[in-house]
Amino acid sequence: MSVHARAAVPAPILLIEDEPSVTAFLRAALERRGYSVEGAASGAEGLERLNNGHYTGVISDIRMPGSVNGAEVHAWIQRNKPELSARIILISGDTANSDTQALLAQSGTPCIEKPFRVQQLLTVVERTFGKP
Amino acid sequence: MSQSNMSRTTAKTSPARPRPRGVKAFPRPAGQDASELMELAVDAAQSRHLPEFLERFASRAARMLDAAWGGVAVFRGRETDLYQANRAGITLEIAHLSTLIRLARESRREIEVVPTASETALSEVPASESSSISFVPIIASDHEPLGSLCLIRNNKALNDVERRVLQALASHAALSLENFRRFSQLERSKRQWVEDIDAISDYIVVHDRTWRIVRTNRSLASHLGVPPVALVGEAMSSLRQIAEAGTELPCPFCRDTQQSREEYVVTSPERIYLVSTSRTPGLSDDDTRTIHVLKDITDRREAERRYRELFDSIQEGLFFATPDGRFLDVNDAMVRMLGYGSREELLRADVGPHLYPMPTARESFLRALAKRGVLRNYEETLRRKDGTLLHTLQNITAVRDATGKIAQIRGLMLDVTEQKMFQSQLQRERDFNQKILNTTQSMILVLDTAGLISYANRRCFESGYREDELIGHHLVDWVEPSHRESFEAALETTAQGHQVENLEPRVRRSDGSMGHFSISLSPMRDEQNVVNSVVVVMTDITDATMLQAKLAHSEKMATIGRLVSGVAHEVNNPLAAILGFTDLLLENPAIPDNAREDLQIILHETQRTKDIVQDLLSFARQRPVQRELVQVNAVLRQTIKLRSYDFASHGVEVTEDFDENLAPALGDAQQLQQVFLNILNNAYDAVQEAGQRGSITIRTQREGDQIEVAVTDNGTGVSDPERIFDPFFTTKQAAKGTGLGLSICYGIVRAHGGEIVCGNNENGPGCTFRVRIPVASETAAASIAKEAGR
């Protein structure tokens, strides 16, 4: 719940997700609640947008094809956008994965397990990014 | 000269003219004695032939003394030769002569006159009745009687003149006889000398300064095939064919003519001679005689050479040594054996300190030798020059001097180092083989050609078989009847010399149960390469067979796990979209109620799918097992408590049969609870389905270093216990489970290093699940306790 975020013109949430149907559902759910959403279809695109734009927070899938996955997006933000380091939500199809477990335990980053109910999503988003 | 003796007298007589009896012979003119004696002296000096001289002498004596008969008896040892005067007045019979000889031998040193009438034997002598016989002894200068001059005269006494004449005649006769005797002795000895020289088998040759042969002995001449005399006067060079000393001299046997004595060896292609040369002054002043004696030493040399050759070529070491530790002679083998560079080097060695690693060994050797004189097969470890040890076997003889002290040690030495090493290697190999036979986990048997067991290793007896039920029995009797035919065929194949491997018949164990065995048969051959027995190696692979099945199963489970994990991920994305959009639709107030009900069903089914995927993922996940001490009984009690309401309300009786002294296991209590809960749920479902009064017995006990939890129910049992842990293999009604519960249990138990098995009960309905997990080792327990206390 950043004062800064509320004061400024609301910046969009960057949604990094390779699966179009999931992106569509997330966009619909978040926009219906009043969040603005900007999508990136891969980790690499996500990093490019992060480098050039300004975002309220980042929601990123962990497991994505291509050269950059969710864990790397997370690490990049820690290094290059420290102001966003506490404004990341990860979504995962497999939290039992030992790498994922380690990342979550170490950073304390919130994570939502797929599949999830809309209410579960909104609770975590509001807690992390604040209300729109 | 003819021989005669007293009994059989023969007299040397010249053919005497027969004379009328009583005729007086030899009328002698007086005063002629001096000239007769003078002539006698000349005759004696000139005569070379004794008998003729003596006959003339007898004639002369008879003439000078006016005797009717004259003779000289000459003593030769016990024999007597009688020489008669050539012309006598009477002729004597043999008997008369014998008597005369006897009387002559008996006669004294003085002249004797015996009347013929006094001797019966002579009474017949045809002389005058008053005749007598005069015997004049002939005495040598050393007073030895040489003979006697006998004269038969008419009984006339001897006057002084006659006596002196007789004395003078006897002296002349003695002198002459002595001379003749010396001369003949000289002749004899000269001849004997030649014979002796000729009898010598060595070659003897004498040459003068002009290198001409003066003499050779018969051996040399016959070697050349000529009479000895033929070589006299020949040049020494003609003897070159015998052998050569190799000098430029004309004599093949001379070497240094300045030496008066020389000895050396000359050789020809065939023979070897030892030449002994002596040089002596010859008859004249300017002559030198050189005498060569050639001794043929070919055989001796050959013998020596053979001996030396044998000595050196023999593979055994030979030596002659002194008791104080010096070698007198050693052969090449000995030098080689002891690792010395040359014979000379070894001869310089001091036997005690150089050859004996321990001085005490040499001392005890000498003591034993002094005591026994001969040592047979005496084992001794010696030291080679380079310090390595040499194991020897020796045969020793002590040679003692006159006082009995050991003067020399002779010995033969064998190098048995290799045998020793071979022997110990053989022993090691035998021990090694014995160890293998006795420690191998395989049973090893030897069968004779009839298939009877002749040997069984220790493992067979450790497996419980008794010696009396194996040895002498057919191995095939232990094989399951249905496998016997093929086993016997395999034995036959082996008997024909072929190896048969990996037979897997079922064989009766010592306890009567049947086991799965891996058997290989190898032919064993005798020296003639004929198969005379079969070596059987048997291993009970019953456990291995099961292990293999388990391994295959766990492999399969792991593959399924990876597959499931991938599928679950892929399913989650669309599932997230379906669930999400359903939620969004349900939020829409414009959706009619009936559509809303349908959406609820979609929502429910999506939730169910989500559960399935969650289970799949927890089956597939490899979350590490927490390592903590787990009291299995306590975990079980908690688990039972979770379901106790259901059990009680549905009349299911749960019996706890716990080993209260159960050691803790090492593992993850939460995960184990999940396993037990799953099994209990299964049991509950099974007894419910069976429709009779349900009973579940939970038993814990320690089995070796494992804890076994057995959950037995009296439910419906399972149709395929082998497959029950496969994912999605379920006997339950649709929608009652995900089909993954037991698969997850399987994964958990395996992660604990344990195993989970299921089998239908043998004595009644239902089935039993057994979970085995390792007991926490004491060190593990201690270290965990320590960590917990920190």
Side-chain angles (χ1 to χ4, degrees):
Chain A
M1 275 170 277
S2 161
V3 177
H4 159 82
R6 284 178 79 177
V9 181
I13 293 170
L14 179 64
L15 176 61
I16 310 173
E17 167 63 67
D18 64 305
E19 189 71 31
S21 63
V22 178
T23 306
F25 150 64
L26 285 170
R27 185 185 285 274
L30 290 171
E31 283 179 349
R32 216 175 273 184
R33 282 293 180 275
Y35 292 99
S36 73
V37 175
E38 197 179 306
S42 71
E45 189 191 336
L47 292 189
E48 198 182 319
R49 285 181 184 273
L50 274 170
N51 221 8
N52 302 321
H54 182 70
Y55 300 99
T56 300
V58 179
I59 298 175
S60 175
D61 192 5
I62 292 181
R63 185 163 141 158
M64 287 181 292
S67 55
V68 184
N69 63 22
E72 281 150 348
V73 170
H74 180 269
W76 187 91
I77 290 171
Q78 301 299 316
R79 281 198 308 275
N80 303 300
K81 295 276 176 183
E83 67 274 16
L84 288 177
S85 62
R87 304 181 75 85
I88 309 170
I89 295 169
L90 293 171
I91 49 178
S92 164
D94 177 17
T95 50
N97 183 295
S98 55
D99 290 344
T100 309
Q101 289 273 343
L103 169 66
L104 298 181
Q106 186 200 336
S107 63
T109 306
C111 178
I112 311 167
E113 267 187 80
K114 287 188 210 174
F116 48 85
R117 303 294 298 272
V118 172
Q119 197 48 52
Q120 274 177 282
L121 168 75
L122 293 175
T123 306
V124 177
V125 168
E126 274 182 20
R127 200 170 63 214
T128 312
F129 303 151
K131 289 190 185 195
Chain B
M1 263 184 277
S2 66
Q3 285 185 338
S4 59
N5 57 44
M6 293 305 285
S7 58
R8 213 165 50 84
T9 303
T10 55
K12 193 82 185 172
T13 54
S14 296
R17 284 191 304 269
R19 279 174 195 272
R21 286 188 176 198
V23 172
K24 218 172 110 183
F26 304 126
R28 188 176 59 96
Q32 284 190 336
D33 289 352
S35 71
E36 284 276 7
L37 286 174
M38 193 71 94
E39 281 173 30
L40 172 62
V42 174
D43 188 14
Q46 288 177 346
S47 287
R48 286 284 171 272
H49 198 231
L50 186 66
E52 285 166 13
F53 167 74
L54 288 174
E55 279 162 20
R56 279 197 302 277
F57 176 78
S59 302
R60 193 185 303 276
R63 191 166 60 243
M64 285 172 76
L65 282 144
D66 194 19
W69 181 88
V72 180
V74 176
F75 306 151
R76 197 156 50 79
R78 294 178 60 188
E79 291 169 16
T80 306
D81 297 323
L82 186 66
Y83 303 92
Q84 299 180 64
N86 290 334
R87 288 161 301 170
I90 53 172
T91 303
L92 296 181
E93 302 297 325
I94 293 291
H96 300 146
L97 296 175
S98 295
T99 308
L100 271 177
I101 287 170
R102 179 171 56 79
L103 292 171
R105 290 193 77 100
E106 285 169 2
S107 66
R108 311 261 170 81
R109 294 183 172 276
E110 298 302 320
I111 296 170
E112 260 181 82
V113 179
V114 179
T116 49
S118 67
E119 285 289 330
T120 326
L122 293 174
S123 57
E124 296 290 314
V125 170
S128 67
E129 279 170 20
S130 57
S131 67
S132 66
I133 311 166
S134 302
F135 291 100
V136 185
I138 303 169
I139 309 291
S141 50
D142 59 357
H143 310 296
E144 189 202 340
L146 296 172
S148 182
L149 172 62
C150 313
L151 296 170
I152 299 176
R153 300 188 344 140
N154 287 330
N155 199 12
K156 238 191 312 180
L158 290 169
N159 59 29
D160 284 350
V161 174
E162 285 171 333
R163 278 186 183 270
R164 278 197 299 275
V165 168
L166 281 174
Q167 297 281 12
L169 282 171
S171 298
H172 274 288
L175 198 65
S176 297
L177 275 176
E178 273 189 301
N179 278 341
F180 270 108
R181 189 164 287 186
R182 276 194 203 103
F183 183 73
S184 74
Q185 265 172 358
L186 205 65
E187 276 290 302
R188 249 203 327 277
S189 91
K190 208 168 146 192
R191 213 172 8 256
Q192 188 62 48
W193 179 245
V194 171
E195 276 173 22
D196 288 350
I197 296 285
D198 280 345
I200 293 174
S201 60
D202 297 344
Y203 302 157
I204 300 172
V205 57
V206 183
H207 67 80
D208 59 17
R209 293 180 79 151
T210 63
W211 316 102
R212 297 271 158 203
I213 295 171
V214 177
R215 248 182 116 160
T216 68
N217 69 343
R218 196 186 305 278
S219 304
L220 180 71
S222 60
H223 174 73
L224 297 173
V226 294
V229 68
L231 291 166
V232 175
E234 292 292 321
M236 276 305 287
S237 57
S238 64
L239 301 182
R240 273 188 206 288
Q241 53 174 302
I242 297 174
E244 276 198 82
T247 62
E248 298 291 312
L249 298 171
C251 168
F253 310 136
C254 275
R255 199 175 260 193
D256 183 353
T257 53
Q258 299 306 306
Q259 300 286 329
S260 62
R261 281 182 179 283
E262 280 187 289
E263 197 164 83
Y264 41 82
V265 171
V266 298
T267 57
S268 77
E270 294 89 27
R271 314 300 294 176
I272 304 163
Y273 298 97
L274 177 68
V275 179
S276 301
T277 300
S278 311
R279 292 191 177 81
T280 58
L283 293 175
S284 58
D285 288 348
D286 61 345
D287 193 16
T288 305
R289 295 198 160 219
T290 304
I291 303 144
H292 296 299
V293 179
L294 279 73
K295 188 167 196 63
D296 187 340
I297 55 167
T298 313
D299 292 346
R300 198 171 82 194
R301 276 292 170 117
E302 181 64 16
E304 272 174 23
R305 192 186 60 76
R306 280 197 202 134
Y307 163 77
R308 191 74 223 179
E309 210 173 84
L310 184 70
F311 189 75
D312 279 338
S313 65
I314 203 164
Q315 289 308 297
E316 288 78 18
L318 290 169
F319 64 88
F320 296 86
T322 60
D324 60 348
R326 289 276 162 196
F327 284 120
L328 299 169
D329 198 2
V330 292
N331 69 345
D332 292 347
M334 186 87 179
V335 175
R336 204 166 46 239
M337 248 180 229
L338 288 166
Y340 280 76
S342 66
R343 183 194 301 266
E344 290 67 33
E345 191 188 9
L346 183 54
L347 290 178
R348 280 196 300 273
D350 196 344
V351 174
H354 290 154
L355 266 62
Y356 282 78
M358 305 255 285
T360 49
R362 170 82 179 162
E363 285 159 24
S364 54
F365 161 75
L366 287 173
R367 265 201 306 278
L369 188 62
K371 194 174 158 200
R372 286 184 274 165
V374 172
L375 298 177
R376 297 256 172 263
N377 296 327
Y378 189 83
E379 281 190 45
E380 187 80 273
T381 303
L382 297 179
R383 189 169 51 189
R384 291 196 188 91
K385 193 190 167 197
D386 63 4
T388 56
L389 294 181
L390 171 75
H391 296 279
T392 64
L393 200 65
Q394 303 184 23
N395 284 308
I396 309 288
T397 310
V399 178
R400 298 180 192 269
D401 62 13
T403 65
K405 230 179 80 189
I406 295 176
Q408 207 186 87
I409 299 170
R410 295 176 184 172
L412 183 144
M413 184 182 283
L414 291 175
D415 180 355
V416 293
T417 310
E418 254 176 57
Q419 285 95 313
K420 272 266 169 181
M421 281 167 57
F422 182 69
Q423 208 174 359
S424 64
Q425 198 182 336
L426 203 68
Q427 188 60 44
R428 271 203 302 277
E429 218 160 273
R430 204 175 293 153
D431 291 350
F432 181 65
N433 289 342
Q434 196 64 39
K435 276 200 188 105
I436 290 179
L437 278 176
N438 285 336
T439 56
T440 179
Q441 289 305 299
S442 296
M443 297 196 285
I444 297 175
L445 303 145
V446 178
L447 312 184
D448 61 18
T449 42
L452 297 171
I453 301 167
S454 61
Y455 168 84
N457 74 339
R458 193 189 291 170
R459 180 67 191 161
C460 299
F461 307 120
E462 285 169 357
S463 304
Y465 293 101
R466 292 194 320 273
E467 189 168 351
D468 63 331
E469 60 187 9
L470 288 182
I471 307 296
H473 290 80
H474 284 281
L475 176 62
V476 73
D477 292 346
W478 292 87
V479 176
E480 193 176 75
S482 62
H483 288 151
R484 279 181 194 167
E485 199 178 321
S486 62
F487 186 76
E488 291 210 306
L491 272 180
E492 183 56 38
T493 307
T494 313
Q496 283 161 11
H498 306 287
Q499 174 121 3
V500 178
E501 293 197 52
N502 296 328
L503 284 175
E504 293 195 359
R506 284 168 66 79
V507 173
R508 187 150 46 87
R509 294 200 187 97
S510 56
D511 62 2
S513 65
M514 296 306 286
H516 213 104
F517 281 73
S518 169
I519 296 183
S520 62
L521 305 173
S522 312
M524 195 152 75
R525 298 163 193 276
D526 62 14
E527 297 78 17
Q528 278 83 44
N529 213 28
V530 175
V531 176
N532 64 353
S533 45
V534 174
V535 179
V536 183
V537 180
M538 293 176 54
T539 312
D540 189 337
I541 54 162
T542 315
D543 287 348
T545 313
M546 283 165 62
L547 185 67
Q548 203 173 12
K550 280 179 195 164
L551 279 174
H553 184 60
S554 71
E555 185 89 350
K556 184 174 71 183
M557 297 297 268
T559 307
I560 291 170
R562 284 192 294 276
L563 178 68
V564 158
S565 172
V567 169
H569 275 110
E570 292 312 310
V571 171
N572 267 338
N573 278 326
L575 215 51
I578 294 167
L579 189 63
F581 280 112
T582 308
D583 256 350
L584 290 178
L585 275 176
L586 281 170
E587 282 176 4
N588 189 346
I591 298 291
D593 282 352
N594 55 347
R596 196 171 290 275
E597 281 170 24
D598 293 349
L599 282 172
Q600 283 297 342
I601 293 169
I602 294 173
L603 190 68
H604 186 261
E605 290 305 309
T606 312
Q607 286 282 18
R608 200 160 76 83
T609 310
K610 179 191 165 183
D611 288 346
I612 292 170
V613 173
Q614 283 301 324
D615 273 359
L616 275 174
L617 282 173
S618 42
F619 161 72
R621 82 179 154 196
Q622 290 160 351
R623 187 160 79 86
V625 175
Q626 299 296 309
R627 294 287 167 185
E628 57 195 14
L629 293 178
V630 178
Q631 302 296 339
V632 172
N633 287 349
V635 174
L636 279 169
R637 287 199 174 101
Q638 272 176 6
T639 314
I640 294 164
K641 203 183 268 177
L642 286 176
R643 298 302 309 267
S644 60
Y645 174 77
D646 285 330
F647 293 151
S649 60
H650 290 89
V652 176
E653 187 193 355
V654 176
T655 310
E656 293 176 14
D657 179 7
F658 291 173
D659 173 359
E660 295 301 339
N661 298 317
L662 204 60
L666 197 62
D668 189 320
Q670 220 178 333
Q671 288 188 14
L672 288 175
Q673 183 165 21
Q674 192 183 347
V675 172
F676 299 143
L677 186 60
N678 221 306
I679 294 171
L680 277 181
N681 287 343
N682 260 296
Y684 177 76
D685 291 343
V687 297
Q688 284 295 97
E689 206 179 315
Q692 59 192 45
R693 187 176 169 78
S695 164
I696 299 172
T697 304
I698 304 157
R699 191 155 172 263
T700 61
Q701 61 177 352
R702 180 164 177 166
E703 282 216 330
D705 50 5
Q706 288 198 316
I707 290 166
E708 185 185 89
V709 178
V711 180
T712 305
D713 67 55
N714 63 346
T716 49
V718 291
S719 59
D720 195 344
E722 299 279 311
R723 291 191 58 204
I724 196 161
F725 301 105
D726 288 1
F728 309 114
F729 178 86
T730 180
T731 55
K732 295 177 185 172
Q733 295 161 351
K736 204 154 187 195
T738 60
L740 284 164
L742 287 174
S743 301
I744 294 164
C745 292
Y746 177 90
I748 291 171
V749 175
R750 288 304 301 262
H752 276 76
E755 60 175 356
I756 177 169
V757 292
C758 170
N760 286 317
N761 298 330
E762 287 178 15
N763 322 311
C767 67
T768 300
F769 278 84
R770 290 173 204 278
V771 175
R772 299 190 191 97
I773 47 174
V775 168
S777 70
E778 279 180 27
T779 49
S783 75
I784 287 169
K786 196 174 159 195
E787 238 170 71
R790 209 160 42 192

